[in-house]
Coordinates of all heavy atoms in Angstrom, one line a residue:
A277 N -21.6 14.1 7.6 CA -21.9 13.0 8.5 C -20.6 12.2 8.8 O -20.4 11.8 9.9 CB -23.0 12.1 7.9
L278 N -19.8 12.0 7.8 CA -18.5 11.3 8.0 C -17.6 12.1 8.9 O -17.0 11.5 9.8 CB -17.9 11.1 6.6 CG -16.5 10.5 6.7 CD1 -16.5 9.1 7.3 CD2 -15.9 10.4 5.3
L279 N -17.5 13.4 8.7 CA -16.6 14.2 9.6 C -17.1 14.2 11.0 O -16.3 14.1 12.0 CB -16.5 15.6 9.0 CG -15.8 15.7 7.6 CD1 -15.9 17.1 7.1 CD2 -14.4 15.2 7.7
R280 N -18.4 14.2 11.2 CA -19.0 14.2 12.6 C -18.7 12.8 13.2 O -18.4 12.7 14.4 CB -20.5 14.5 12.5 CG -20.9 15.9 12.2 CD -22.3 16.2 12.6 NE -23.2 15.4 11.8 CZ -23.7 15.7 10.6 NH1 -23.4 16.9 10.1 NH2 -24.6 14.9 10.0
L281 N -18.7 11.8 12.4 CA -18.4 10.4 12.9 C -17.0 10.4 13.4 O -16.7 9.8 14.5 CB -18.7 9.4 11.8 CG -18.6 7.9 12.2 CD1 -19.6 7.6 13.3 CD2 -18.7 7.1 11.0
L282 N -16.1 10.9 12.7 CA -14.7 11.0 13.1 C -14.5 11.8 14.3 O -13.7 11.5 15.2 CB -13.8 11.5 11.9 CG -13.9 10.6 10.6 CD1 -12.9 11.2 9.6 CD2 -13.5 9.2 10.9
E283 N -15.2 12.9 14.4 CA -15.2 13.8 15.6 C -15.6 13.0 16.8 O -15.0 13.2 17.9 CB -16.0 15.0 15.4 CG -15.5 16.0 14.4 CD -16.5 17.1 14.1 OE1 -17.6 17.0 14.6 OE2 -16.1 18.1 13.4
R284 N -16.6 12.1 16.7 CA -17.0 11.3 17.8 C -15.9 10.5 18.4 O -15.8 10.3 19.6 CB -18.2 10.4 17.4 CG -19.5 11.1 17.4 CD -20.6 10.1 17.1 NE -20.6 9.0 18.1 CZ -20.9 7.7 17.8 NH1 -21.3 7.4 16.6 NH2 -20.8 6.8 18.8
V285 N -15.1 9.9 17.6 CA -14.0 9.1 18.0 C -13.1 9.9 18.9 O -12.6 9.5 20.0 CB -13.2 8.5 16.8 CG1 -12.0 7.7 17.3 CG2 -14.1 7.6 16.0
V286 N -12.7 11.1 18.5 CA -11.8 12.0 19.2 C -12.5 12.4 20.5 O -11.9 12.5 21.6 CB -11.4 13.2 18.4 CG1 -10.5 14.1 19.2 CG2 -10.7 12.7 17.1
A287 N -13.8 12.8 20.4 CA -14.5 13.3 21.6 C -14.6 12.2 22.7 O -14.7 12.5 23.9 CB -15.9 13.7 21.2
A288 N -14.6 10.9 22.3 CA -14.6 9.8 23.2 C -13.3 9.6 23.9 O -13.2 8.6 24.7 CB -15.1 8.6 22.5
G289 N -12.3 10.4 23.5 CA -11.0 10.2 24.2 C -10.1 9.2 23.5 O -9.0 8.9 24.1
R290 N -10.4 8.8 22.3 CA -9.6 7.8 21.6 C -8.7 8.6 20.6 O -9.0 9.7 20.2 CB -10.4 6.8 20.7 CG -11.5 6.2 21.5 CD -11.0 5.3 22.7 NE -12.1 4.8 23.5 CZ -12.7 3.6 23.2 NH1 -12.4 2.9 22.2 NH2 -13.7 3.2 24.0
H291 N -7.5 8.0 20.4 CA -6.6 8.6 19.4 C -7.0 8.2 18.0 O -7.1 7.0 17.7 CB -5.2 8.1 19.7 CG -4.2 8.6 18.7 ND1 -3.5 9.8 18.8 CD2 -3.7 8.0 17.6 CE1 -2.7 10.0 17.8 NE2 -2.8 8.9 17.0
L292 N -7.4 9.1 17.2 CA -7.8 8.8 15.8 C -6.6 9.1 14.9 O -6.2 10.3 14.8 CB -9.0 9.6 15.4 CG -9.5 9.5 14.0 CD1 -9.9 8.0 13.7 CD2 -10.7 10.4 13.7
A293 N -6.1 8.1 14.2 CA -5.0 8.3 13.3 C -5.5 8.0 11.8 O -5.9 6.8 11.6 CB -3.8 7.4 13.7
V294 N -5.4 8.9 11.0 CA -5.7 8.7 9.5 C -4.4 8.4 8.8 O -3.5 9.3 8.8 CB -6.5 9.9 8.9 CG1 -6.7 9.7 7.5 CG2 -7.8 10.1 9.7
M295 N -4.3 7.2 8.3 CA -3.0 6.8 7.7 C -3.1 7.0 6.2 O -3.8 6.3 5.5 CB -2.8 5.3 8.0 CG -3.0 4.9 9.5 SD -2.0 5.9 10.6 CE -0.4 5.3 10.2
L296 N -2.5 8.1 5.7 CA -2.6 8.5 4.3 C -1.5 7.8 3.5 O -0.4 7.7 3.9 CB -2.5 10.0 4.2 CG -3.5 10.8 4.9 CD1 -3.1 12.3 5.0 CD2 -4.9 10.7 4.3
H297 N -1.9 7.4 2.3 CA -0.9 6.8 1.4 C -0.6 7.8 0.3 O -1.4 8.0 -0.6 CB -1.5 5.5 0.8 CG -1.9 4.5 1.8 ND1 -1.1 3.4 2.1 CD2 -3.0 4.4 2.6 CE1 -1.7 2.7 3.1 NE2 -2.8 3.3 3.4
I298 N 0.6 8.5 0.5 CA 1.0 9.6 -0.4 C 2.2 9.1 -1.2 O 3.3 9.0 -0.6 CB 1.2 10.8 0.4 CG1 0.0 11.2 1.2 CG2 1.7 12.0 -0.5 CD1 0.2 12.4 2.2
S299 N 2.0 8.9 -2.5 CA 3.1 8.3 -3.3 C 3.9 9.3 -4.0 O 5.0 9.0 -4.4 CB 2.5 7.3 -4.3 OG 1.7 6.4 -3.6
H300 N 3.4 10.6 -4.2 CA 4.1 11.6 -5.0 C 3.6 12.9 -4.6 O 2.4 13.1 -4.3 CB 3.8 11.3 -6.5 CG 4.6 12.1 -7.4 ND1 4.4 13.4 -7.8 CD2 5.8 11.8 -8.1 CE1 5.3 13.9 -8.6 NE2 6.2 12.9 -8.8
P301 N 4.5 13.9 -4.6 CA 4.1 15.3 -4.1 C 3.0 15.9 -4.9 O 2.3 16.7 -4.4 CB 5.4 16.1 -4.2 CG 6.3 15.3 -5.1 CD 6.0 13.9 -4.9
R302 N 2.9 15.5 -6.2 CA 1.8 16.2 -7.0 C 0.4 15.8 -6.5 O -0.5 16.6 -6.7 CB 1.9 15.7 -8.5 CG 1.1 16.6 -9.4 CD 1.1 16.0 -10.8 NE 2.4 15.8 -11.4 CZ 2.6 15.0 -12.4 NH1 1.6 14.4 -13.0 NH2 3.9 14.9 -12.9
E303 N 0.3 14.7 -5.8 CA -1.0 14.4 -5.2 C -1.5 15.4 -4.2 O -2.7 15.6 -3.9 CB -0.9 13.0 -4.5 CG -0.6 11.9 -5.4 CD -0.5 10.6 -4.6 OE1 0.5 10.4 -4.0 OE2 -1.4 9.7 -4.7
L304 N -0.5 16.2 -3.6 CA -0.9 17.2 -2.6 C -1.2 18.6 -3.2 O -1.5 19.5 -2.4 CB 0.3 17.3 -1.6 CG 0.6 16.0 -0.8 CD1 2.0 16.1 -0.1 CD2 -0.5 15.8 0.2

Side-chain angles (χ1 to χ4, degrees):
L278 175 61
L279 296 174
R280 288 195 299 270
L281 185 62
L282 300 181
E283 288 172 352
R284 277 187 55 213
V285 177
V286 178
R290 310 297 174 89
H291 177 85
L292 176 61
V294 177
M295 315 303 293
L296 301 166
H297 301 263
I298 303 175
S299 305
H300 192 275
R302 195 188 303 164
E303 295 177 288
L304 297 165

